[in-house]
Amino acid sequence: MKEKKYILGLISIGTLVLGAVFKVNHWPAAGIMITIGTLLVVFAFLPLALISNYRIEKNRANLPLYYTTWVTCLIVMSAMLFKIMHWPGAGILVVVSLPFPFVVFLPVYLYVTSKNKNYNMYNMVFVLFLLAVQAMFAALLALNVSRERIDDSLTFAADYNRVEEKIRPVVKDSGADDSKIVVDINATLKIIDECQDMLFTGIGVTEKTWEEDPFKVPYMDSRGYLANLLIYNNDNAPGIMLGKSLDNLFNDFKEMKGSGASYDTFASIINYQREEDDVNSWSETLFTDNYLSWVLIYLDELEVNLLFLKSVFI
């Protein structure tokens, strides 16, 4: 029995820790591992450990403490799981889980242990310390607004997709007599499509899913592996080529008559800035420092703005 308990405990905690590492690094399958680990702890390891301890002590007076311990862990870990996974009802669960250990568990714990004259006071200090850590962790989870910000940003994605759908038929395809700036805009639009296709393929969705309902696209809060997909393959990676193509457009505007005003206008519309001595600085900043949702939204914004610019020059 003890051996099974220890093995199950190692598997449960190991799964949780591994899921936390994946979550911190925004890697796929983090949510699955955290969910499985939490379920194993609450519904497998903890009941087995409590039952094993009860059989050793054989003291029915401690039964209320065992039940309360399990219910407290169920509520607290469920609240943390719901908050980490951004499931509906997470806010309510966090609010309930914050006072629950102090209002329910602690009185039962003090009542049961007060009857034991040989009880070690250091255990009491340890329990209080754990409750304080739990309260701080739950509070930090409650303050986490990154997912809410990501969800709000997806509204812009839907707007850009709608505008792009309407403007594309209006902007004619380039022909042999197009100006250099139109040719470069078309080349940039093609690279944007390559970046989007690579990102959608990397997370296992289609562009149609993104266009119809961005909220159904997973891993919106992930970042890190985007760089491997778009800029760290080689010098001809789509992310690097996009920066170079935007550089070409900047040069086109500089060469136009009245280049000062045109250049400033282009810079304001496209929101493209890089260090003078580093051609790849913009690409690295965009694709390594931002969430996936914001990268996709920026690419949509860039695509729409370039289509508007193209409509001016054709």
Side-chain angles (χ1 to χ4, degrees):
M1 185 72 170
K2 288 185 178 180
E3 184 178 351
K4 292 181 179 179
K5 179 178 66 176
Y6 293 145
I7 293 175
L8 183 58
L10 288 174
I11 294 175
S12 304
I13 300 301
T15 305
L16 266 177
V17 171
L18 190 61
V21 171
F22 271 57
K23 188 67 176 179
V24 169
N25 289 280
H26 305 285
W27 294 337
I32 296 175
M33 285 187 286
I34 291 176
T35 303
I36 293 175
T38 302
L39 293 176
L40 286 175
V41 170
V42 175
F43 294 104
F45 170 67
L46 188 58
L48 187 63
L50 292 173
I51 292 172
S52 175
N53 196 59
Y54 174 74
R55 288 177 178 175
I56 294 173
E57 292 183 350
K58 295 182 180 179
N59 186 355
R60 293 185 62 84
N62 291 340
L63 278 176
L65 181 59
Y66 293 146
Y67 290 132
T68 306
T69 299
W70 184 82
V71 173
T72 301
C73 289
L74 173 64
I75 293 176
V76 171
M77 295 195 72
S78 295
M80 292 180 179
L81 176 63
F82 271 65
K83 189 63 179 178
I84 291 172
M85 298 301 295
H86 311 290
W87 291 340
I92 297 175
L93 280 174
V94 170
V95 171
V96 173
S97 69
L98 277 171
F100 192 90
F102 300 95
V103 176
V104 178
F105 172 79
L106 190 57
V108 174
Y109 179 80
L110 294 174
Y111 174 79
V112 172
T113 57
S114 65
K115 296 181 179 181
N116 186 355
K117 296 181 180 180
N118 298 322
Y119 185 74
N120 191 338
M121 186 56 64
Y122 288 108
N123 291 337
M124 171 68 71
V125 175
F126 181 71
V127 169
L128 292 175
F129 175 77
L130 287 180
L131 290 177
V133 171
Q134 178 271 325
M136 288 187 294
F137 185 64
L140 289 174
L141 286 174
L143 292 174
N144 180 18
V145 297
S146 62
R147 185 65 196 189
E148 286 74 11
R149 291 180 61 194
I150 289 173
D151 287 342
D152 291 341
S153 69
L154 294 178
T155 304
F156 293 101
D159 292 339
Y160 286 127
N161 288 331
R162 185 179 66 255
V163 173
E164 180 187 352
E165 181 183 1
K166 298 299 182 182
I167 194 175
R168 273 197 179 274
V170 177
V171 180
K172 69 178 183 179
D173 294 332
S174 62
D177 57 342
D178 281 332
S179 63
K180 184 178 185 301
I181 191 169
V182 172
V183 172
D184 287 341
I185 288 176
N186 288 332
T188 307
L189 289 171
K190 184 177 179 181
I191 297 174
I192 292 174
D193 288 337
E194 292 178 5
C195 291
Q196 291 172 325
D197 290 342
M198 188 169 288
L199 290 175
F200 292 136
T201 302
I203 59 177
V205 300
T206 62
E207 185 176 2
K208 184 177 180 181
T209 302
W210 170 255
E211 292 175 349
E212 293 180 349
D213 191 354
F215 292 92
K216 291 183 178 180
V217 179
Y219 311 124
M220 288 290 94
D221 60 343
S222 64
R223 56 183 174 184
Y225 74 92
L226 297 177
N228 295 324
L229 289 175
L230 295 180
I231 67 174
Y232 285 163
N233 289 335
N234 51 62
D235 290 339
N236 294 322
I240 299 296
M241 295 304 296
L242 179 58
K244 294 179 178 178
S245 186
L246 289 175
D247 265 345
N248 290 334
L249 283 174
F250 265 72
N251 293 330
D252 292 341
F253 273 86
K254 286 181 178 179
E255 294 172 359
M256 291 177 59
K257 186 177 181 180
S259 59
S262 299
Y263 178 85
D264 292 339
T265 301
F266 179 79
S268 299
I269 293 175
I270 303 303
N271 190 23
Y272 175 73
Q273 296 178 348
R274 67 170 178 82
E275 298 176 10
E276 290 297 328
D277 298 332
D278 188 358
V279 177
N280 299 338
S281 62
W282 175 85
S283 300
E284 292 174 352
T285 300
L286 174 64
F287 296 118
T288 60
D289 295 343
N290 285 317
Y291 291 110
L292 174 60
S293 61
W294 297 348
V295 172
L296 289 171
I297 291 169
Y298 175 77
L299 291 176
D300 281 339
E301 176 192 7
L302 181 60
E303 196 169 27
V304 169
N305 288 334
L306 288 175
L307 286 171
F308 274 114
L309 285 174
K310 180 180 175 181
S311 66
V312 173
F313 292 101
I314 57 176

